[in-house]
Amino acid sequence: RSLKLIKILTIGGALLIFSLSSWYTFLTITVYAPWENFGDFQPGFEQTVSLVMTLAKTKERVIFDSPHIAPYIFVLFYGKYPPEQYFREAGLHRKNSGTEDYAFGKFVFRKITQKDWGLKNTILVGPTARIPDYAAEQMKKDGALIIDFSDIKGYTSFRVAEL
């Protein structure tokens, strides 16, 4: 009898752990991760950088807001930024590795704030969380060019605002 009870408790415990783990995994994948990690894998980065490099020729500054740990790498690569120019402009002795407030040339990599929405002669590049629809509509009314880049599901992965 006790061996049968131990077997039932072991199987029941294993099923309980498996069920809880499966439920946790399901919730993480379907509920938590899409919101928490939205935009981490940006399919529109290459197209965005190509447009921004063209627009930046006539602008004073470009502010990039991206969840990537070092988004400047994508700008350097997709923008075909000359390495010699990058080393001259960025310097090799910076304490910051590019995760926040990193800059070279016209490019600044940091979070976009509401103050940035009113800048002139600037390009803002970021997610809709930083350049929301109502702000984009107001920027359009003020004469800004707003371009959205979407992923394959139709969600905006990047919004570009040429102010």
Side-chain angles (χ1 to χ4, degrees):
R1 248 182 183 256
S2 66
L3 186 59
K4 194 174 191 177
L5 181 63
I6 291 173
K7 188 176 181 181
I8 290 173
L9 288 175
T10 303
I11 291 172
L15 285 174
L16 178 67
I17 290 171
F18 176 77
S19 298
L20 290 174
S21 295
S22 297
W23 181 246
Y24 175 77
T25 301
F26 172 77
L27 287 178
T28 300
I29 291 170
T30 60
V31 177
Y32 177 74
W35 291 104
E36 184 64 25
N37 298 73
F38 181 74
D40 282 0
F41 307 100
Q42 309 262 356
F45 223 122
E46 181 177 5
Q47 295 82 359
T48 303
V49 171
S50 297
L51 172 71
V52 167
M53 294 304 276
T54 302
L55 296 175
K57 292 176 184 173
T58 60
K59 297 297 176 183
E60 190 177 301
R61 156 186 46 214
V62 178
I63 300 173
F64 255 95
D65 183 340
S66 172
H68 289 87
I69 193 150
Y72 70 94
I73 295 294
F74 296 101
V75 172
L76 294 171
F77 180 73
Y78 291 130
K80 298 175 179 62
Y81 208 84
E84 309 81 30
Q85 183 179 351
Y86 167 71
F87 287 130
R88 256 192 333 272
E89 294 170 348
L92 297 175
H93 303 292
R94 291 184 61 103
K95 290 181 182 177
N96 191 322
S97 64
T99 56
E100 189 67 29
D101 292 330
Y102 187 72
F104 61 87
K106 297 179 179 188
F107 299 94
V108 179
F109 300 86
R110 63 171 175 78
K111 287 184 168 74
I112 293 172
T113 65
Q114 286 186 359
K115 290 179 184 179
D116 297 326
W117 300 347
L119 293 173
K120 298 295 177 205
N121 206 20
T122 300
I123 298 171
L124 303 178
V125 182
T128 55
R130 300 274 196 261
I131 310 171
D133 293 339
Y134 69 90
E137 288 303 318
Q138 184 59 49
M139 290 176 199
K140 273 187 193 177
K141 288 178 185 174
D142 295 339
L145 172 67
I146 305 293
I147 300 171
D148 289 345
F149 289 90
S150 301
D151 62 16
I152 58 172
K153 291 185 176 181
Y155 297 113
T156 301
S157 56
F158 278 109
R159 176 166 284 159
V160 176
E162 181 188 27
L163 307 175

